[in-house]
Amino acid sequence: MADQKPPPYPIAPLAPAISRRSQVIERLGAEIRSGSYKPGDRLPTEQELIARFGVSRTVIREAFASLKAEGLVVTRQGSGAFVAKNPLGMPFRIAPEEMTSLPQILYVLQLRLAVEVEAAGLAAAERDDRCLERMQRSLDRMGEAIRAGTGIGDPDYEFHLAIAAGTGNPYFQRFIHFLRNSLSPGREVNPELKNPEVWRSYFTEVQAQHERLYQTIRDGDGDDARRTMRLHLEDVIEQYRRRGDDGPYAGTTTE
């Protein structure tokens, strides 16, 4: 049982990306979750995975360490790596290092789109004064940060958290807490933002989108709030996709 291996895979080097380790983690993790590897199955050796993915031994070892931390894999000294007995029993998580890979960023943005569009509609239906006050304070802080040329990560997070809190459903708020590090693109994943003029222009538009979103929620227009949130997040997704086609992520796919 423990020595059973799935049929060998063809050699398939990974597409260029900022984090090749994240791609190895994603592919092996998907194969374990889909049942291609059963609980107790021995995973391919380091050499087999090096040949399959076209990466270094260090990348494979780091990938195994991450899969082990997620509870998907166990290692046995002298025997190799095996699928854990209950690989699907671990809590859902998104590793911070995954957010340096374009496919992972797009996946998380799509997840946000599915959740936050409805959150905006519910917040508009509730029209909670405390929520509106929190949103306005966040907008003020965002404007100050843009004028000063400093990061808007904290006020951006607080703005989306205020909308989640305004739904009256605590799970929306917990979701935004969980995704805090993925809410605002930074210079490390968008090199264009290292240019101060590009940075200011980009975040001035982001600020304007947030202002429109605040107005729809303040006006209690649930449909317009959903539509505005969708346009806001789809704009972010489209900008990342364009950077994948033309910029430092060229050649990376979401497949």
Side-chain angles (χ1 to χ4, degrees), residues 21-175:
R21 176 184 61 176
S22 292
Q23 292 186 70
V24 174
I25 293 168
E26 180 186 350
R27 294 195 188 179
L28 287 178
E31 288 163 9
I32 292 171
R33 293 184 184 96
S34 70
S36 295
Y37 293 104
K38 307 296 183 186
D41 279 353
R42 186 179 186 276
L43 293 171
T45 65
E46 288 182 359
Q47 288 299 330
E48 289 170 331
L49 291 172
I50 288 169
R52 176 188 171 187
F53 292 116
V55 296
S56 68
R57 176 177 280 104
T58 299
V59 169
I60 297 301
R61 289 182 175 177
E62 289 177 348
F64 273 147
S66 291
L67 291 169
K68 185 177 178 181
E70 289 190 44
L72 295 177
V73 167
V74 295
T75 55
R76 301 173 193 162
Q77 191 167 5
S79 298
F82 299 80
V83 178
K85 289 184 178 179
N86 184 20
L88 304 182
M90 293 295 289
F92 174 77
R93 69 186 290 270
I94 297 173
E97 64 268 18
E98 293 176 337
M99 296 307 296
T100 57
S101 162
L102 177 62
Q104 295 290 355
I105 292 170
L106 290 173
Y107 290 152
V108 172
L109 284 169
Q110 288 166 354
L111 177 61
R112 286 185 58 195
L113 185 66
V115 174
E116 291 195 68
V117 167
E118 184 60 22
L122 291 173
E126 293 292 326
R127 294 186 66 185
D128 180 83
D129 288 341
R130 228 169 105 194
C131 159
L132 293 170
E133 288 172 7
R134 288 177 62 183
M135 290 176 69
Q136 185 61 67
R137 283 199 303 271
S138 300
L139 287 170
D140 292 342
R141 288 183 59 205
M142 218 179 292
E144 292 168 3
I146 292 170
R147 288 189 291 274
T150 58
I152 71 162
D154 286 343
D156 183 51
Y157 162 71
E158 291 294 340
F159 182 84
H160 286 270
L161 186 64
I163 294 175
T167 66
N169 181 333
Y171 290 104
F172 280 99
Q173 192 167 203
R174 286 169 63 178
F175 178 79

